[in-house]
């Protein structure tokens, strides 16, 4: 689909300026009329009207590839993408729209192409679209869907769409059980689009994932600390967000789990006969718990060991 640009010697370019009609027009010089392009476009339309969709797709593709500066090139690429989409060729349709977006940024079809890309990418991410291959229907892979969303964000890097696409990537990785990639995607939303509606939820979800990782890792101390820090960052950066109360409760629960973990370590060392280490961790429980069941149990063990 993407044309191969041939580098011409500088001397040839200079000597040919304004006289050699065989040279392609300079990028940005605007579309031009081209009899062959007009003929290909007419043939494609005829094939389409006669129900010969594959032939029409091929003719539109040929026009857009081989005569990219013709006035009909953008329309041909857009129509090719539409027919591919209607045929269930989701990835090929997405790529055809991508070609138009990258090559025809000033085209009147740009917004329509971006809207169709957006619809395809998010529908694929939600599992609503499957790709047709040799007459079969198969779900799109995670890598393919993430690639679509990444391209989408790149086409509108400063728009709300980019934040939505990046957040959706985080959702996909989280649902696929890939916490590190999910955290990376969510953090990119917070860093790159801090004012977006998605940013507060993205920061909160980083804490949720880390907390889940700690729970599955037998109260892993490092993940508990990181989860707590993430929720504290969320409260600091997004005060008044709808999940602030939930974050405070989770921070409190993390503190309790951390103290329990410290008590368990003390008990472990006591059973191993390492009294010095046991007393150190019991003292930590007493210092941090202030009061309550764990505080009293740790104090009782300290009294017994002393």
């Amino acid at each position: 689909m993407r044309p191969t640009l041939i580098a011409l010697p500088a001397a040839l370019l200079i000597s040919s300026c304004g006289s050699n009609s065989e040279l392609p027009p300079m990028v940005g010089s605007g579309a031009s009329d081209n009899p062959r392009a007009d003929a290909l476009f007419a043939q494609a339309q005829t094939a389409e009207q006669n129900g010969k969709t594959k032939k029409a797709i091929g003719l539109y593709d040929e026009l857009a590839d081989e005569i990219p500066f013709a006035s009909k090139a953008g329309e041909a690429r857009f129509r090719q993408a539409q027919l591919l989409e209607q045929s269930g060729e989701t990835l090929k349709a997405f790529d055809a729209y991508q070609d138009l977006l990258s090559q025809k940024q000033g085209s009147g079809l740009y917004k329509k192409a971006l809207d169709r890309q957006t619809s395809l990418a998010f529908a694929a991410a939600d599992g609503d679209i499957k790709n047709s291959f040799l007459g079969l229907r198969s779900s799109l892979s995670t890598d393919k869907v993430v690639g679509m969303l990444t391209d989408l964000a790149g086409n509108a890097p400063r728009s709300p769409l980019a934040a939505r696409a990046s957040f959706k990537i985080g959702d996909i990785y989280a649902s696929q059980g890939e916490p590190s990639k999910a955290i990376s995607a969510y953090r990119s939303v917070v860093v790159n689009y801090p004012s977006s509606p998605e940013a507060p939820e993205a920061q909160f979800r980083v804490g949720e994932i880390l907390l889940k990782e700690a729970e599955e890792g037998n109260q892993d101390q490092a993940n508990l600390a990181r989860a707590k820090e993430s929720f504290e960052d969320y409260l600091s950066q997004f005060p008044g967000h709808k999940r602030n109360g939930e974050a405070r409760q989770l921070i409190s629960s993390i503190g309790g789990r951390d103290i329990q973990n410290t008590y368990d370590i003390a008990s472990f060392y006591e059973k191993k006969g390492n009294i010095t280490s046991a007393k150190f961790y019991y003292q930590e429980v007493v210092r941090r718990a202030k009061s309550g069941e764990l505080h009293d149990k740790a104090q009782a063990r300290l009294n017994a060991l002393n």
Side-chain angles (χ1 to χ4, degrees):
M1 290 180 191
R2 295 179 175 83
T4 301
L5 300 181
I6 302 174
L8 299 175
L12 177 59
L13 287 174
I14 293 171
S15 64
S16 303
C17 283
S19 61
N20 193 336
S21 61
E22 293 181 358
L23 284 177
M26 293 176 65
V27 174
S29 63
S32 62
D33 293 328
N34 185 296
R36 180 165 174 256
D38 293 340
L40 282 171
F41 193 86
Q43 292 172 30
Q45 285 189 311
T46 300
E48 189 178 338
Q49 291 164 3
N50 292 332
K52 298 179 179 178
T53 303
K54 281 190 175 182
K55 182 177 180 181
I57 289 172
L59 289 166
Y60 285 132
D61 186 36
E62 181 181 349
L63 192 170
D65 269 358
E66 298 184 9
I67 320 172
F69 298 105
S71 58
K72 292 288 187 183
E75 189 177 352
R77 183 69 80 199
F78 185 80
R79 191 60 194 143
Q80 174 202 3
Q82 285 185 310
L83 292 177
L84 286 167
E85 186 178 346
Q86 292 166 14
S87 301
E89 296 280 3
T90 302
L91 290 175
K92 290 182 179 179
F94 187 93
D95 288 343
Y97 286 126
Q98 182 66 27
D99 282 340
L100 190 152
L101 292 170
S102 61
Q103 297 173 20
K104 302 289 181 181
Q105 294 182 4
S107 169
L109 293 169
Y110 189 93
K111 185 179 184 306
K112 289 184 178 179
L114 185 60
D115 286 346
R116 288 313 310 149
Q117 261 203 338
T118 301
S119 179
L120 285 174
F122 280 96
D126 292 334
D128 296 334
I129 284 185
K130 297 182 179 181
N131 197 50
S132 175
F133 180 71
L134 298 178
L136 303 175
R137 305 286 285 182
S138 61
S139 297
L140 294 173
S141 69
T142 298
D143 287 345
K144 295 291 186 184
V145 176
V146 168
M148 293 168 74
L149 290 166
T150 301
D151 285 343
L152 194 62
N155 289 333
R158 295 179 181 84
S159 74
L161 178 59
R164 284 179 56 209
S166 298
F167 186 87
K168 196 66 175 179
I169 291 173
D171 284 351
I172 290 171
Y173 282 132
S175 68
Q176 294 294 319
E178 298 193 60
S180 296
K181 292 181 178 180
I183 288 173
S184 178
Y186 286 136
R187 280 180 172 158
S188 76
V189 176
V190 178
V191 172
N192 297 322
Y193 317 103
S195 300
S196 68
E198 291 78 16
E201 182 66 22
Q203 181 62 40
F204 186 91
R205 293 197 185 183
V206 170
E208 281 189 316
I209 292 172
L210 289 169
L211 190 54
K212 182 180 178 183
E213 287 287 282
E215 290 170 347
E216 294 177 351
N218 193 25
Q219 302 296 318
D220 180 79
Q221 197 85 5
N223 278 335
L224 281 174
R226 292 169 65 203
K228 182 181 179 183
E229 182 180 355
S230 294
F231 287 127
E232 289 172 341
D233 287 344
Y234 160 78
L235 290 172
S236 173
Q237 294 177 56
F238 308 106
H241 187 251
K242 62 183 180 180
R243 303 189 77 175
N244 276 190
E246 190 177 349
R248 291 188 182 93
Q249 290 178 351
L250 288 170
I251 289 172
S252 178
S253 74
I254 289 171
R257 298 179 203 198
D258 195 16
I259 294 171
Q260 177 66 61
N261 191 46
T262 303
Y263 182 90
D264 293 340
I265 293 172
S267 180
F268 169 80
Y269 280 122
E270 183 181 355
K271 290 175 182 177
K272 289 289 185 180
N274 188 336
I275 304 305
T276 300
S277 294
K279 288 169 66 175
F280 171 81
Y281 285 104
Y282 283 134
Q283 287 167 351
E284 279 294 293
V285 173
V286 170
R287 182 181 66 82
R288 293 163 61 187
K290 306 298 183 187
S291 62
E293 182 182 357
L294 279 178
H295 172 279
D296 294 344
K297 287 171 65 176
Q299 186 62 65
R301 295 313 308 147
L302 278 171
N303 294 340
L305 292 175
N306 287 331

